[in-house]
Amino acid sequence: MFDFANIDLGTVIALVSLVGTSIVWLLDRYVWRRKRLVYRVQVDAQIGVHPRQGQAHELVDVEVRHQNEVVQDPSIVLLRVDNTGTDIDAADMKKELGFGFPGRKIVRMKVVEAHTDSGTLIEESLDPLTYVDEDKLVVPRFSINHGDHFKFLLVLSGRGKGITHSGYLTGGGANGGVYHEPRPRGPGRRTLIFGATTLVLVGALVAFFLVDVLRPPDNCAAGQVRVIGSTAVEPTMSELRSAYASQCSGADIMIAANGSRSGVLDLKTLGAQDAGAASKVIAMSDGPAEDAPTLSGEAIAVVVFAVVVNRSAGVTSLTTGELREIYTGKLTNWNQVGGKNLPIRMVSRVGPASGSRLVFREKVLGGDQELGITSDDCRRDDDAAAAKYHRCEVGTTDELLTRVNEIDGAIGYAELGSARKFPDLAAVTIDNVVPDTTKVADRSYKFWEVEHAYTYQAPEAKSLTAAFLDYVRSSQARPVLERGGLVPCGALSAGFCG
C-alpha cells in the first residue's frame, strides 16, 4: 500500500506546478487558441557608409533621395510580423495594427518576405498618401494564417529613435494580441546574423529606394593635375578629387580655385609660356571663356545659383525688380520689402574675375553694374555718415557665404549647393520660383549658368587630365554634381548646354 507519509511536500508542490503549467500551455495552444501577432525589430540603423581613418580607399558615399530632395538623416528599419497563434481574420482586428516612429518620417515602404500572397495584398491596401512623410504606419485590417509572417522594409528620415506599436485583436488576451518580442541580452545568433547582413539590406535598398552610390572611376591614370578657376564649384571639384584619388593612388590632383576669369587667363598665359605645364591644368569657368582660341573647352553641367539672405532679415521671397532696386541703392532696409527693420548689407564678389558676379549681373541685374564699396569688413561702413547704402566685396564663394551667414541683414549670391551648408541663410525665391535643379530644366528659374572645363589644347588620351575630365563627365560622378546643386549636361535636353 502506498505510504503518503513518506512523500516530501516540496516535491508535490513542484510536481503540481509543472503539471499545471503544462496543462495551461496545452490549453492555450490547442484549446483556447488565442489570436496573437508578434513583431520584432530586426534592423533599425542609420544609412551611410563612410571611410574609416586611414582607409580612404574604402570610400562609399550613400545618398537617399525622395521627391528630388536629399533625405536628411536617413535610416532603414526592418520589422518582422508573425502570427504565432490561431488564424486571424480581418474581422478579428478591432483596432488596426500600427507602428510609430517618434522623431522620424516615413520616406518609402515595401512589404517583403511574405509566405503567401498576404504580403502583396497588405502592400496594395496601403495608400502612400497615408504614410509617406508621416511618423506612423497604420495597416488596414487583414487576414493571416497561423505560422505565416511578412516584413516591413522602411526608409525613414530624421534623428529619432525607437519604435512604438498599437493594435487590438478579439481573443488576443489581456494585451490585445499584439506583442513585441524584445531583443535578448547579449549578442545572440539572430543579432550576429542580422549584423552580418546589414550591408546586404543596404544593397536591397538600392533596388527598392533608388539610392545613389558614388562608384569608383572606370579607369585610373597617374600624374599631376591642377584645377583652377571657378570658386563656385570648388567644393564639388574637391569632392570629386577625393573620390578619384581614393581609388587611383597614382593621381595627384590639386584644387586651387581663383575665380573663373582669372583661371582662364592664367591657363592662357601659362600655355604661351610652357605648353607642357599647361597640359596639366584644368580651368573651370562659370560660362564660356572669352577670347581663348588656344583653349579646348566643353560644357560639363549647369550651375544653379541662388540669392541668399541672412534669416534675421525675415525675407524669403524677392522679385527681380526688388533685387535691382536693392543693388542700385533704392531699397536700403528690409522693412521696405516686408521684412524686419534692418539695414540691407550687400556682400558681393570681387570683379571682374568672378564668374558668379558676371552671371548675377547678366541674369538678375539686367546687365547693370553693382554699386561701389562702402565697407572693407562688411559689418561697418568706412564712412557711416556719408553711406546711403551698405556694400562690401570678398574674394571667394566661401567668404561670401560666411559673411552673409554671420551678419544680420546681409544679402549675397552664390552657387546653390554651397549655400545649403550654412544654417542661417535662406535661399530666396526669385519672382516666386524656388532655386532648384528641376526649375532650371523647365527654364522657369533664370539664375544659372553653364559650367565649362578648359584645357590648353586637347589633353593627351592617356593623361591624368583626360582621365579626370572623363570621370567628371561620367555617371559615377553624377551624384556628387547633383548634391552640389549642379545639373549634368547629360541629364538635360539636347542643346540645353549649348
Side-chain angles (χ1 to χ4, degrees):
M1 192 169 178
F2 195 77
D3 188 0
F4 289 94
N6 292 326
I7 298 177
D8 181 70
L9 182 60
T11 302
V12 173
I13 295 174
L15 182 60
V16 171
S17 299
L18 178 60
V19 173
T21 301
S22 300
I23 292 173
V24 169
W25 181 85
L26 290 169
L27 288 172
D28 181 66
R29 180 69 178 84
Y30 296 105
V31 179
W32 295 335
R33 303 278 289 175
R34 288 183 178 175
K35 301 180 186 297
R36 185 189 302 263
L37 281 177
V38 174
Y39 81 93
R40 56 182 176 271
V41 181
Q42 294 187 327
V43 175
D44 186 358
Q46 292 290 312
I47 297 175
V49 182
H50 306 282
R52 291 175 289 178
Q53 180 136 12
Q55 294 178 312
H57 63 282
E58 295 182 6
L59 175 66
V60 179
D61 187 0
V62 178
E63 178 181 279
V64 180
R65 301 181 71 86
H66 172 53
Q67 296 180 350
N68 294 323
E69 297 291 335
V70 176
V71 177
Q72 300 298 318
D73 302 308
S75 58
I76 177 175
V77 167
L78 185 65
L79 297 176
R80 173 171 172 145
V81 179
D82 287 88
N83 181 356
T84 59
T86 187
D87 294 350
I88 296 173
D89 294 324
D92 296 324
M93 293 196 169
K94 299 307 178 184
K95 183 177 179 182
E96 296 95 336
L97 179 64
F99 296 102
F101 309 93
R104 293 187 282 182
K105 302 290 186 182
I106 300 171
V107 175
R108 293 288 299 275
M109 183 282 299
K110 189 170 184 65
V111 177
V112 298
E113 293 190 30
H115 270 181
T116 65
D117 293 338
S118 61
T120 302
L121 295 174
I122 290 171
E123 184 170 352
E124 291 176 349
S125 70
L126 286 163
D127 183 354
L129 295 176
T130 64
Y131 61 81
V132 172
D133 293 329
E134 300 292 335
D135 63 357
K136 190 173 183 180
L137 174 67
V138 178
V139 186
R141 294 173 174 85
F142 60 92
S143 300
I144 181 170
N145 295 329
H146 165 71
D148 286 349
H149 77 268
F150 59 88
K151 298 180 182 180
F152 289 113
L153 178 62
L154 303 104
V155 170
L156 308 172
S157 65
R159 297 187 178 183
K161 294 183 179 179
I163 298 170
T164 62
H165 80 273
S166 61
Y168 186 84
L169 302 176
T170 300
N175 294 327
V178 179
Y179 301 90
H180 173 228
E181 179 181 288
R183 179 177 296 176
R185 294 183 181 274
R189 184 169 62 91
R190 286 176 180 166
T191 301
L192 294 176
I193 291 174
F194 288 117
T197 56
T198 297
L199 290 179
V200 176
L201 290 171
V202 172
L205 255 161
V206 174
F208 287 132
F209 304 115
L210 304 179
V211 177
D212 291 322
V213 179
L214 179 61
R215 302 188 303 276
D218 289 331
N219 64 301
C220 291
Q224 293 183 330
V225 163
R226 186 160 54 98
V227 181
I228 61 177
S230 171
T231 65
V233 298
E234 180 182 9
T236 300
M237 297 306 295
S238 295
E239 189 172 350
L240 289 172
R241 179 270 313 273
S242 298
Y244 186 90
S246 69
Q247 298 291 332
C248 304
S249 57
D252 181 8
I253 305 171
M254 182 176 69
I255 309 297
N258 59 343
S260 294
R261 288 192 171 184
S262 293
V264 170
L265 179 60
D266 287 353
L267 180 57
K268 288 168 53 179
T269 303
L270 181 60
Q273 299 172 349
D274 187 342
S279 68
K280 300 178 182 180
V281 176
I282 299 171
M284 304 301 296
S285 174
D286 304 337
E290 299 176 358
D291 188 25
T294 60
L295 302 187
S296 174
E298 63 179 300
I300 299 295
V302 167
V303 186
V304 183
F305 291 93
V307 173
V308 292
V309 175
N310 187 284
R311 294 186 184 278
S312 62
V315 170
T316 58
S317 179
L318 291 168
T319 66
T320 301
E322 289 169 339
L323 283 167
R324 292 175 181 176
E325 289 188 325
I326 287 173
Y327 280 87
T328 55
K330 296 177 182 178
L331 296 176
T332 58
N333 195 294
W334 287 113
N335 61 15
Q336 295 174 286
V337 289
K340 302 290 182 63
N341 182 21
L342 279 174
I344 298 174
R345 292 194 170 274
M346 294 170 279
V347 183
S348 301
R349 289 290 306 282
V350 175
S354 169
S356 302
R357 175 170 171 159
L358 179 62
V359 176
F360 181 69
R361 187 181 75 193
E362 293 180 351
K363 298 292 182 72
V364 179
L365 299 187
D368 292 340
Q369 292 286 355
E370 295 183 52
L371 296 167
I373 298 172
T374 66
S375 173
D376 286 333
D377 66 359
C378 301
R379 296 180 183 275
R380 297 177 301 276
D381 295 307
D382 298 333
D383 187 356
K388 296 181 181 179
Y389 58 88
H390 313 280
R391 184 177 174 275
C392 69
E393 292 182 354
V394 295
T396 67
T397 297
D398 189 67
E399 286 182 88
L400 183 147
L401 292 170
T402 300
R403 296 291 178 88
V404 178
N405 187 69
E406 295 175 346
I407 299 173
D408 288 349
I411 183 175
Y413 45 84
E415 179 261 332
L416 178 62
S418 298
R420 288 169 173 164
K421 302 174 184 178
F422 291 80
D424 291 326
L425 296 184
V428 301
T429 63
I430 300 177
D431 298 325
N432 293 318
V433 181
V434 177
D436 186 76
T437 55
T438 59
K439 301 301 181 182
V440 170
D442 66 16
R443 298 182 183 271
S444 60
Y445 187 72
K446 308 298 183 183
F447 190 15
W448 56 270
E449 184 55 276
V450 178
E451 188 69 20
H452 290 72
Y454 286 94
T455 58
Y456 184 71
Q457 301 179 348
E460 295 183 6
K462 295 184 179 180
S463 66
L464 177 58
T465 303
F468 185 62
L469 282 175
D470 285 343
Y471 179 63
V472 172
R473 292 188 296 264
S474 71
S475 60
Q476 291 98 318
R478 180 170 291 187
V480 177
L481 295 174
E482 293 175 343
R483 185 160 53 250
L486 283 75
V487 187
C489 287
L492 296 166
S493 58
F496 194 100
C497 291

